Amino acid sequence: GELIACARHRFDLDLPRKGGRKRDHLESVARQLGRRPAGLDGPPLPAWGEHLWAAWLELHQGRRAGFNGPEPLAWSDLDAWSRLTGADIRADEAGLLMQIDREFFAVRGEIEGNRK
């Protein structure tokens, strides 16, 4: 839904790629043209998903990394984070957090695939 579309757009803008982040390029274009390029504004973060986006960002900061870069979040990561922070997340919200994480890796894979 809307939360996943917003996350996908933000990942596409902010993940590093050859030549820098897409957001930096589009903001530079905006300054030069005096107007915002269409690709800069994506789907808005729905009000009901703000706490989930904040939670994912927090989980992302504590993510483990392996030899090939960041590792996907595990259900045990959500459980530990929830217990340590006292965050009360429902099962459907936990599912959305995992879906956001899958989207992160999907966009990351697309960007890395285009580098080759």
Side-chain angles (χ1 to χ4, degrees):
E2 9 173 26
L3 177 61
I4 303 307
C6 175
R8 172 171 264 285
H9 181 74
R10 289 180 179 196
F11 295 147
D12 184 50
L13 286 177
D14 292 329
L15 282 170
R17 56 186 79 220
K18 190 175 181 179
R21 295 182 323 153
K22 185 187 271 187
R23 180 182 302 279
D24 297 333
H25 171 72
L26 291 174
E27 287 175 348
S28 175
V29 169
R31 283 190 299 277
Q32 293 169 19
L33 298 178
R35 61 180 169 78
R36 292 176 69 81
L40 198 51
D41 297 319
L45 179 63
W48 59 263
E50 290 175 1
H51 72 289
L52 294 173
W53 182 250
W56 183 84
L57 290 172
E58 202 171 296
L59 285 158
H60 178 63
Q61 293 299 314
R63 159 186 323 274
R64 291 179 306 275
F67 290 113
N68 294 320
E71 294 181 0
L73 294 175
W75 290 103
S76 58
D77 296 324
L78 293 183
D79 179 53
W81 169 81
S82 177
R83 281 185 290 105
L84 288 170
T85 64
D88 185 24
I89 58 170
R90 300 184 318 257
D92 62 322
E93 292 176 322
L96 283 169
L97 288 170
M98 296 303 276
Q99 195 173 350
I100 291 169
D101 204 55
R102 286 190 298 274
E103 207 59 38
F104 169 77
F105 281 96
V107 173
R108 185 173 178 264
E110 291 164 14
I111 290 170
E112 289 180 353
N114 288 331
R115 284 185 190 164
K116 296 175 182 173

